[in-house]
Amino acid sequence: MSDQSSTAYIKGQPILVAVDNVIFGFDSEEEKLKVLLFKRKVEPFAGQWSLVGSFVQPNESAVVAASRILTEFTGLESVFLEQLHCYSSVDRDPGDRVISIAYYSLIQLQSYRKELVERHEAAWFELHDIPDLVVDHAQMITDALAKLQDNARRRPVGFNLLPPKFTLPQLFKLYQEIYQKEIDDRNFRKKILATGLLEKLDTKDKTTSKKGAFHYQFNKSKYHQLETDGYDILFH
């Protein structure tokens, strides 16, 4: 390393790097898309609602740090995790000079460990009921939802949010929650069935009516194919 390079390192100012994770989960009973938040433990803003986050440790990459906190809060591993954006405004955090690399996750709510959420004083919030959040975390949720909406148009996402067996009404409601607007039911069914993603089962969900609604499951090989190849479907 040249003397000039050595001098540049010496003169450089340390900056903290954090990861924040927008964790989405779909409550199939309430039919609501929710975000996991927790009450911040440290100042500034101790006791206020925040996204799940952590500083990146010297021995880990950003994605490893994001995976670590996801597991710490939910007990889940190997779930959907994608980098969202880097938030680096100089004055974004009054505690110090902090750059945050945001990620977003999609999880199945029936799979996470509830005792971990309770231990961290975390809670699930519907999108229209998000409380005031610290620093720029509200913007992160807005950006993550926009990314999820774009992904839902271009590749299948339901496998990450729904239980193994689900009904078409549940899938339809999931997409309405993702887009946060009304969707034409017939048009949605026609387009989603045309993808070949769904396999109809013999069982029915009769919790809402005597007639019931048939259960479906995802065709895994077709699902993974479309995750790679993608499509372009306007559901709304």
Side-chain angles (χ1 to χ4, degrees):
M1 183 181 292
S2 68
D3 291 340
Q4 185 177 1
S5 297
S6 299
T7 302
Y9 273 99
I10 293 171
K11 290 183 178 180
Q13 297 298 310
I15 296 176
L16 295 170
V17 178
V19 289
D20 289 294
N21 199 342
V22 183
I23 303 174
F24 289 115
F26 180 66
D27 189 323
S28 56
E29 293 183 0
E30 296 182 15
E31 298 184 330
K32 295 293 182 181
L33 187 65
K34 298 182 177 181
V35 176
L36 184 64
L37 304 174
F38 86 115
K39 288 190 175 181
R40 187 172 163 121
K41 301 295 190 297
V42 298
E43 295 291 353
F45 310 121
Q48 296 187 39
W49 289 105
S50 165
L51 289 171
V52 173
S54 171
F55 288 115
V56 179
Q57 300 304 307
N59 64 339
E60 62 184 1
S61 65
V63 68
V64 168
S67 298
R68 169 174 56 80
I69 60 172
L70 178 61
T71 302
E72 286 177 2
F73 274 77
T74 68
L76 300 177
E77 298 179 355
S78 302
V79 297
F80 181 95
L81 177 69
E82 187 171 277
Q83 190 175 125
L84 176 63
H85 186 65
C86 178
Y87 297 82
S88 61
S89 297
V90 173
D91 59 351
R92 62 173 298 274
D93 191 329
D96 208 330
R97 178 73 176 97
V98 182
I99 291 174
S100 179
I101 302 171
Y103 288 78
Y104 80 103
S105 301
L106 308 176
I107 73 169
Q108 297 174 352
L109 282 188
Q110 74 277 9
S111 301
Y112 80 97
R113 292 173 56 187
K114 294 182 179 180
E115 74 275 11
L116 293 178
V117 168
E118 293 172 357
R119 185 186 308 166
H120 288 284
E121 297 184 52
W124 292 96
F125 288 85
E126 296 178 22
L127 294 178
H128 71 272
D129 197 29
I130 301 293
D132 291 336
L133 300 176
V134 302
V135 291
D136 47 10
H137 288 190
Q139 184 62 51
M140 291 180 185
I141 293 177
T142 298
D143 294 343
L145 182 60
K147 182 69 173 178
L148 176 56
Q149 290 168 345
D150 185 64
N151 268 345
R153 172 179 174 175
R154 302 183 189 282
R155 56 180 169 150
V157 298
F159 184 81
N160 303 290
L161 290 162
L162 288 168
K165 294 195 306 181
F166 54 88
T167 65
L168 279 179
Q170 286 175 328
L171 183 62
F172 171 69
K173 188 60 180 179
L174 168 61
Y175 274 76
Q176 284 202 141
E177 282 290 294
I178 289 173
Y179 288 113
Q180 291 289 286
K181 62 174 63 176
E182 293 293 324
I183 300 175
D184 182 77
D185 191 0
R186 284 188 181 181
N187 190 44
F188 173 80
R189 288 172 182 254
K190 179 180 178 181
K191 289 180 177 179
I192 201 69
L193 290 173
T195 64
L197 275 169
L198 305 183
E199 296 177 348
K200 189 176 182 180
L201 303 177
D202 294 331
T203 59
K204 283 187 174 184
D205 177 6
K206 295 187 176 182
T207 56
T208 57
S209 68
K210 290 184 178 180
K211 183 179 179 182
F214 278 104
H215 285 120
Y216 285 78
Q217 66 183 12
F218 288 109
N219 180 312
K220 290 185 179 180
S221 61
K222 186 67 174 180
Y223 194 99
H224 294 313
Q225 176 198 333
L226 289 176
E227 274 190 314
T228 302
D229 298 342
Y231 50 63
D232 191 352
I233 302 177
L234 279 174
F235 290 107
H236 60 94

